[in-house]
Structure formats: C-alpha cells, structure tokens
C-alpha cells in the first residue's frame, strides 16, 4: 500500500508539473497574443490618425493669432492647401491657432476622388487651389464658354470665404528645379480678386476679400461626384468633355430669388442618338440627333432657376432609346462651350 501511495503521489506530482508547464506555456501565448493585438491596434490607429501637435519648430505667422481672436465665423482659403503634403501637415497646426473653417484640405490616408469635388469644380476656387501651385496662371472655364473671373468676389462672398492666403514656404517649391510661385500667385490674385485689405510678412500674403454688391449672378460648375463624364481634352474651342448618360452640371443661383434662364452649349456625336436634358429631375429637352461629326448648337429654357444649387443632367440614349454607358468616346456625346444666359 505504501508503494501504491508513493506511485499515486509521484503521478500527482508529475501531473502538477505538466499542468504548471501547460499554464506557463498558455500564459506565454496569451502574453504574445496581447502584444500582437496591441501592435496591430497601434498600426491601425497611426494609419488613420492625424492629430495636430504643437512644436517649437513650427514657426508661423502672427496673422493666424489675429484670425483666432476674431470671433466672427467665416472660411479661409489657403494656397497650396490641396496640392502640398508639407503644407497640409503644417496646416493641421495652423487650424488649431486660427480656428476658422478651411476650404482647402488634403487626403492624408486614402485617396477619395469625391472628397474635394467642391474645390475641384467651383470656378476661381479650383484655379486658386490647383492651377496656381502647378505653375499655371489659371483658367476657370472648364467646358464653359466664358471665365467667371469678373464675379470672383461674388463667388467667394457667396461661400463666406473671407481671406485668400498664399503660403510662401509652400509656394517656393524646390529652388533647383521649380520656379517660386509666390510672385505670379500674388499677381494673379491682384488681377482677379478685389482685396479690401492686405497683410504680408515673411510667412504669408493674405488678401481680405472685399464685399461685392448683393449677389445676382449665376454660374455653372461640372458635377464630378460620379463617373459619367468619361473623358476630357483641350480643343481650339477650349476644354471639351465626353458624356455618357447621367453626366451633369450644377447651376448655382447666387441671388435671393428665382430667375429665368437659358442653357446653351455645343455638341458633336459620332453616331445618331437621343439627347435629353433634365433640370432638377424634370425633362426639359429631348431631340433625336442624326447629324454626325458636325458642331451643333443646343438651347434649352429653364422656367424657374431656384436660389442656390440646381442640377442639370444630360440624358444620352441610343437610337433604340437605351441609355448609353460607355468609356468609348465614339459611343458618347462631346460637350463644350456651355453657358447660361
């Protein structure tokens, strides 16, 4: 019995040893799993987190403190806010100082084509944010017949943009290969915007947008919130775009009341097709066009253009009235020289 008890004791000790080893092993696995989860979590957080950290090295213009003390609500547009990663990174700190809404913006984590549709399609705003940093003096016509530079202040006022700010560091580029854009940028701003006041220091140039008369104009912008515009190119008549069914424009009536207006544009087709126009969802024009390869002028009346944003949608249909959705230019309609009277 003594030997039997000894064997049982030895078995219990061995079992306890195995259990302890198993527990130690499981604890080690559990610890490693927790560390792995923490590392993965930190990677995910760092991938999407963009937090402005103030540092002594981020020297900035005292003009931002001046804006921060202004309690009135308005927006600022900063160049090159949409095209410079370096400026956009510093701008995270500038925003914490001036605390104003910014029209510019940079997609740090993921490219989202529709994120800045407003900036890319709105006249004068597009030119300031995208054309100037690329070294172009700017042209806000897109497929429209005329420029909207004459009503720049009115457009900026309409969207409560109080200041246009040119960042000198962001516009100087690489001196070995890029021209310093601050000088042509200042000249361009002076030519298309009336400044009520100006501020300049070693960091920036700021134009306070003068108040225009009561807005009464309308303007067009290309709706790029979807992919129904399937191509664009330059021509002797300016920019031209190819539209499949559903391509659209936005007509912004900046006045406080409804207006009557007429849409005019030119088109070319490579095969007979139905062309329709929908205004705020209502069909106002429909014609089967058979003349191929010839420039044709189209006109459609809008009975009521309500204040604010209105939608214009192009219906593009085949001879059998089936909607045309295609990336091939020969299947779609070419549209250019668009205007509203």
């Amino acid at each position: 019995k003594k030997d039997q008890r000894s064997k049982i004791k030895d078995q219990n000790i061995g079992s306890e040893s195995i259990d302890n080893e198993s527990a130690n092993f499981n604890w080690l696995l559990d610890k490693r799993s927790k560390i792995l989860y923490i590392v993965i979590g930190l990677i995910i957080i760092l991938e999407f987190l963009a937090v402005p950290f103030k540092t002594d090295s981020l020297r900035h213009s005292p003009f931002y403190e001046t804006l921060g003390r202004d309690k009135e609500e308005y927006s600022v547009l900063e160049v090159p806010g949409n095209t410079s990663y370096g400026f956009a990174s510093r701008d995270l700190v500038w925003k914490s100082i001036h605390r104003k809404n910014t029209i510019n913006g940079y997609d740090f984590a993921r490219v989202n084509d529709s994120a800045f549709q407003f900036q890319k399609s709105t006249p004068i705003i597009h030119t300031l944010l995208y054309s100037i940093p690329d070294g172009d003096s700017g042209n806000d016509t897109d497929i429209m017949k005329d420029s909207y530079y004459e009503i720049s202040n009115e457009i900026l006022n309409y969207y409560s943009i109080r200041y246009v700010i040119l960042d000198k560091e962001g516009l100087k580029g690489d001196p070995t290969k890029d021209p310093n854009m601050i000088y042509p940028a200042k000249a361009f701003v002076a030519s298309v915007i009336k400044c009520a006041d100006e501020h300049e220091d070693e960091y920036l140039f700021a134009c306070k947008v003068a108040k225009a008369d009561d807005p009464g104009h309308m303007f067009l912008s290309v709706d790029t919130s979807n992919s129904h515009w399937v191509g664009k190119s330059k021509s002797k008549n300016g920019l031209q775009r190819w539209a499949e069914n559903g391509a659209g424009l936005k007509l912004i009536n900046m006045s406080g009341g409804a207006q009557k207006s007429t849409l005019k544009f030119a088109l070319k087709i490579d095969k007979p097709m139905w062309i329709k126009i929908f205004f705020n969802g209502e069909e106002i024009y429909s014609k089967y066009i058979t003349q191929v390869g010839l420039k044709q002028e189209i006109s459609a009346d809008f009975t009521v253009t309500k204040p604010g944003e209105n939608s214009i949608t192009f219906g593009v249909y085949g001879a059998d009235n089936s909607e045309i959705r295609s990336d091939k230019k020969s299947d779609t309609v070419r549209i250019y020289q668009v205007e509203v009277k």
Side-chain angles (χ1 to χ4, degrees), residues 21 44 75 225 280:
E21 289 179 4
I44 293 173
S75 298
S225 61
N280 292 332

Side-chain angles (χ1 to χ4, degrees), residues 17 41 79-80 82 140-141 147 153 171 198 207 214-215 236 238 242 244 248 261 264 271 285 299 309 312 325 340:
S17 177
V79 182
N82 278 70
D140 68 341
T141 56
S147 167
N153 278 61
L171 288 171
E198 296 178 359
C207 164
D214 292 337
K236 64 179 181 180
W242 280 263
E244 67 176 10
S261 53
K264 296 183 178 182
K271 60 180 67 174
Y285 178 91
S299 177
E309 185 176 294
I312 300 170
R325 293 284 176 87
V340 169

Side-chain angles (χ1 to χ4, degrees), residues 204-222:
L204 56 79
F205 168 82
C207 164
K208 183 178 182 180
V209 181
K211 288 282 187 180
D213 296 333
D214 292 337
H217 292 92
M218 294 184 288
F219 69 89
L220 288 163
S221 66
V222 178

Side-chain angles (χ1 to χ4, degrees), residues 63-71 74 97-100:
F63 181 71
Y64 287 127
E65 270 89 1
T66 302
L67 293 185
R69 291 190 293 270
D70 188 349
K71 303 304 180 184
Y74 51 80
I97 298 170
H98 63 63
R99 299 189 296 276
K100 301 300 181 188

Side-chain angles (χ1 to χ4, degrees), residues 1-11:
K1 289 182 178 178
K2 183 178 180 180
D3 291 341
Q4 187 176 4
R5 285 197 300 269
S6 179
K7 288 181 181 179
I8 293 172
K9 184 178 181 181
D10 289 342
Q11 288 176 355

Side-chain angles (χ1 to χ4, degrees), residues 122 232 341:
T122 305
K232 63 181 179 180
K341 294 290 188 180

